[in-house]
Structures are given as structure tokens and as C-alpha cells.
Amino acid sequence: MKDFFRRTYSKIKADPSWSFFLAFAFLAGVSMPLARIAMALSLVFTLSSPARRRSLRVTSPTVGWLVYLALAAGVTAAMWAIDPEPGFLEPGRGFRKVAKLLWYAAIPLAVAQVDSRPRLVSTLRALVWGCALAAALVVLLNPVLAWIQLRLPTDVDLAAGTAAPAAEWLHRAAKAVGRLDDLRRWVLACGQPQTFQGALIKVGTMQAAQRLMVAVPAALCLLLEAFREPGRGRRLGAALLLLLCAAGLVLTYKRGPLMACAAVSFAVLLSRLSPSRALLAALLLALAFAGVVAAVPPVRERFAQLPEELSVRRGGRTAMWTVIVPELHREHPWGVGFRALTWKKIHYGMPALDAARDRRVRQVNRRIELNQNHMHSVPMQSFVDFGYAGLLAWLFWTMLGLRATARLARLSRRPAPGSSLPETACFAAPLAMFASLVLYGLVEYNLADSEVVLLYALAMGLTGPSLLRAAPDPG
């Protein structure tokens, strides 16, 4: 054990910027606060090293980020200067939220640190291991959290003596450790479910789902990469990590991440294998997806609710996109500012152009759930925040990210000697990661989600010029 710590310390001392970057990649799949600390330390050591500092490059995804950041800061500052008082819009709060976009500084950091194929593989493995830990926590803890959410008794039940023995024990245990009030607030925030299945759905978080949505195609690329190496140990390890991440994703019970992950994984198999093997693998993937939907009741319930979600009367995404977004843009054609929108504006602040439209808006607003302050879509939110300029800035940034990641993926097609499997499948992982985030971003706002920002930045940063030169000629 002493030798292990001595070797670890020696590696960190030899290249602290790289060591902290690997820690950042691992923690990005587990803990946002710790990942930010590791990223900041890696950036400090990178800037303090002349050799690493020279590796910093302004790549095309970095340009896209800076354009979006400048637009966000400019429009939000202008709105803040015009109307600094909180109301239906809160540009002051939005201006403070612009700081979330600063964490995209991980893009140039990744460009500087990941400059070779071994470093890319190490980064992907660190990320997948971190996400696998998050998946294990989902598999092990979510049923416990669901049980707690379902069993926590109310004061009425306790006073009437109708609480079950297990519920009374839970109440006493939480009170003994001083966590009863926190537990009650958490259950209230999630909503009191009626069934264990409903509780399982509620405890699944969007952040965990998106981490695992990114991890599954990355783990799939690592598995394909492992097949070019001799021995079964690495293949078995990669397969187990893939299965664990997939199981964790299923148990978050989030439809969008599951569908985006399935689509991207299908594309990876289609592009990486020979036609016959790709067809077989795609068929097995489709059967597995259908089997999960049919066999897991919460997943089946979530997909059964999908048509209702698309109804305007339901007050969900369709209502926001077809009613709320046009009304907001008509009132604020230049945008409301970055994340300055409040749920009060969505519910009560709509302008009435005529009596019929006013009735329609109020009818929809009553059905939109409270505390919704975004449009559940990155392009729609960019349009509301900054008008047409925001939509164009998002498209520009996304196209640059897709171009950079696709360019690296295109250079990975050379098959390994004596095999139909690609020699450098890991070079397709950044495109798979970024594509899954963009796909899901069409139906959920994830561009400035604190945890997901780091995943976006990693995907776009693993495309530096040095890494492109390290890729083999596809021939």
C-alpha cells in the first residue's frame, strides 16, 4: 500500500496538470463540485507550465463558445441596465448565471492536455469509470430513496397512530440523526408518490441520466477498441462497465436520455462494424431496447405517457414551444437575457393580443407546472434569451462542435489487421458524446446545466490539432 501511494505521488508530481485533468474527467461523472475543483487545479498547473501553456489552442469549438458567451453577457447586461428590478423577468439573476458558461474553459484545457491516442483512451476510461460509479449509486441507492419517499409518514399519520411500523422507525431514525426536516423538504420537493414504481420514477435525476447517456456510447467505443488488443481481460472489463452504465441509465427512467443514447449507440455500431455485423448488433440493440421498455414497468409507463406530453392541452413542451415561445418573442424580439425568464412570466406575464389568443394562453398556462423557468429545449431557450441572434449563435457553435468531433471520427475508420473492427474506435467517442448531448438538448435545456456543461466541454475539447495529427490516415 505504501508503494502504491509513493508511485501515485510520483506520477502527480511529475505532471500535476495531467493528473488533475484525469481526476476532473473521472469526477465529471460523479460530482460537479469536486470536478470543478480538479479542473481549476489542472488549469492552474497548465498555465504555470511553459510546455503545457504552449499547447493551449483556440480551436473552432472554443470560438463558438466565446461567441455565445459574448452574446449572453451583452444581451443580459443590456436587459439588466434597462430594467434592474426583479419582476416577471430577472435579468440581474440571469447575468449572474452567465458565470455557468465560464466552465466551458474546459474546452481549451482538454485541447492542451489530450494530445495523443493514449491520453484520449485514459481520459475516456476515467470518465466511464466515474459514470460507472454514478450508475452503481443509482442501482443501489435509488430503490432505497424511493422506499424512503414512499414510507416517510406525515404528522397526521403519526398523531392518529396510523403510520406503519416501518414508517415510524424511519421517522425516529431521521429525527435521531437530525435529518428529519431535510428529509421532509426533499420528499415535498419530489412530490408524494402513491406507488413504489412512481417513487422510483421521481428519484431518478436528469443529471445522472445525462451523465450515463454520454457514458454508454463512450464505453461502447472503448469496448470496440479493446477488441483490437490481445487478451480477454480488458474486453471483459469494458463490457462490464458498459452494462453497468446502461443499467444505471435505464433505472433513471428518463425517456429522452434513453432514446438519445440508443440512437447514438446504434449509429456507432453501424459505422464501426462490417455491414453484416452491424446489422446483427443493431438488431440485438433494438431487441434489448424493446425488451427493456416491455419488461420494466416504470420505463413502460414513461413511454406510455409520451403522447400526452405532446399535447398542447397538457401544458408540456408542445405548449411551451408553440404558444409560450412565440408570445415571448413577440414581446421581447431581442431576447429576455440569459436565463432571466421566471415561471411567473410563463404563467402570468403573457401579453394579450386579442381575446381569443388571451383565452388560449391562459388555458395553457394553468396547465404548465409551477417553477418552470426554461423552455425545455436549447434552441428554443436560446431563441427566447437572445432572439434570432441566439438561435444563430447556438447553431454556429453546434456546427463547429459537430465538425470538429466528426473530423476526428472520420480518421478512425482504418480496420485493425486481420479484423473488421476499427483500430481506433476511441476516436469516435467525442462525436458520440457530443451528438447525444445535442440530440437530448433539442427536448431539454442542458447547455448551462452545471453538471452537463463539463460533459459538453470534454466532448468538444477532445478534438485538438495534436490529437488529429495522432490519428492514423484512414487510407
Side-chain angles (χ1 to χ4, degrees):
M1 183 63 70
K2 187 181 295 185
D3 290 339
F4 170 77
F5 284 112
R6 188 181 294 114
R7 288 196 303 270
T8 302
Y9 174 75
S10 299
K11 289 180 180 178
I12 295 174
K13 186 178 180 181
D15 194 347
S17 63
W18 169 242
S19 299
F20 282 114
F21 181 82
L22 275 184
F24 157 64
F26 173 81
L27 293 168
V30 184
S31 168
M32 180 267 294
L34 293 178
R36 284 180 168 182
I37 293 172
M39 174 193 157
L41 289 172
S42 178
L43 189 58
V44 167
F45 281 108
T46 299
L47 293 174
S48 62
S49 168
R52 279 295 163 203
R53 193 165 57 243
R54 286 193 294 269
S55 300
L56 289 169
R57 295 287 186 275
V58 178
T59 58
S60 56
T62 306
V63 172
W65 161 53
L66 293 175
V67 168
Y68 197 91
L69 177 63
L71 183 63
V75 174
T76 310
M79 290 295 295
W80 192 17
I82 293 170
D83 187 13
E85 293 297 324
F88 284 154
L89 297 176
E90 295 185 5
R93 181 176 64 91
F95 192 64
R96 291 192 299 272
K97 284 195 171 186
V98 171
K100 289 187 175 185
L101 296 177
L102 296 178
W103 291 104
Y104 279 101
I107 297 175
L109 175 63
V111 168
Q113 290 295 332
V114 185
D115 55 4
S116 65
R117 173 174 165 172
R119 287 204 164 192
L120 174 63
V121 173
S122 297
T123 302
L124 292 174
R125 284 176 180 160
L127 174 65
V128 171
W129 270 103
C131 291
L133 177 57
L137 294 176
V138 168
V139 172
L140 296 175
L141 293 185
N142 276 24
V144 176
L145 295 175
W147 183 85
I148 291 174
Q149 192 183 41
L150 193 63
R151 296 294 181 183
L152 188 70
T154 63
D155 291 335
V156 174
D157 293 331
L158 291 169
T162 57
E168 291 184 356
W169 174 86
L170 176 62
H171 181 271
R172 288 195 302 270
K175 189 174 182 180
V177 297
R179 308 299 295 182
L180 183 59
D181 291 340
D182 293 339
L183 197 58
R184 282 174 168 167
R185 282 194 293 269
W186 173 73
V187 170
L188 182 64
C190 292
Q192 186 68 48
Q194 300 300 315
T195 64
F196 183 70
Q197 177 176 311
L200 277 174
I201 292 174
K202 286 182 177 294
V203 298
T205 66
M206 203 66 73
Q207 288 76 19
Q210 290 184 84
R211 285 168 172 163
L212 297 173
M213 171 189 73
V214 166
V216 169
L220 179 59
C221 290
L222 286 175
L223 177 60
L224 294 174
E225 178 89 358
F227 272 96
R228 74 173 191 84
E229 299 176 0
R232 297 182 179 180
R234 195 173 292 280
R235 300 176 196 175
L236 181 60
L240 290 176
L241 286 174
L242 174 60
L243 290 175
L244 180 56
C245 291
L249 176 59
V250 170
L251 293 179
T252 60
Y253 304 118
K254 301 300 180 186
R255 294 167 301 201
L258 191 58
M259 290 189 289
C261 177
V264 170
S265 299
F266 173 80
V268 168
L269 291 174
L270 204 62
S271 63
R272 297 293 103 188
L273 302 178
S274 62
S276 58
R277 290 186 178 183
L279 182 62
L280 177 61
L283 179 61
L284 292 175
L285 182 64
L287 290 174
F289 185 82
V292 166
V293 173
V296 183
V299 177
R300 187 168 65 247
E301 179 182 331
R302 292 287 289 155
F303 277 92
Q305 295 169 350
L306 195 55
E308 183 182 356
E309 181 69 29
L310 299 176
S311 169
V312 172
R313 288 187 174 275
R314 163 69 167 74
R317 287 167 170 79
T318 303
M320 288 185 174
W321 300 341
T322 61
V323 179
I324 306 300
V325 169
E327 294 291 345
L328 283 169
H329 179 66
R330 193 170 286 110
E331 186 181 3
H332 302 280
W334 298 103
V336 300
F338 184 72
R339 300 305 309 275
L341 192 62
T342 67
W343 68 266
K344 291 180 181 180
K345 183 68 175 175
I346 296 176
H347 283 260
Y348 311 120
M350 293 290 105
L353 300 184
D354 53 58
R357 182 178 292 278
D358 181 52
R359 285 195 299 273
R360 183 187 180 199
V361 170
R362 285 189 288 108
Q363 183 183 37
V364 171
N365 287 348
R366 285 200 304 271
R367 290 172 171 81
I368 293 176
E369 53 188 304
L370 292 177
N371 300 322
Q372 292 298 317
N373 59 3
H374 60 84
M375 293 293 108
H376 286 290
S377 171
V378 175
M380 289 293 181
Q381 188 67 39
S382 299
F383 183 59
V384 167
D385 285 349
F386 321 123
Y388 285 108
L391 189 58
L392 291 174
W394 172 77
L395 282 171
F396 175 68
W397 189 8
T398 301
M399 291 301 104
L400 291 179
L402 287 173
R403 177 178 174 272
T405 52
R407 196 175 162 201
L408 183 65
R410 185 182 63 84
L411 296 175
S412 68
R413 297 298 304 277
R414 187 176 71 179
S419 172
S420 62
L421 294 169
E423 186 179 22
T424 54
C426 64
F427 279 84
L431 174 60
M433 294 161 58
F434 186 63
S436 63
L437 290 167
V438 170
L439 275 177
Y440 186 52
L442 298 177
V443 296
E444 183 59 67
Y445 184 70
N446 62 2
L447 188 70
D449 189 324
S450 300
E451 286 86 353
V452 183
V453 161
L454 304 179
L455 300 175
Y456 264 114
L458 262 179
M460 288 186 279
L462 300 178
T463 55
S466 299
L467 190 58
L468 284 170
R469 288 193 293 271
D473 187 348

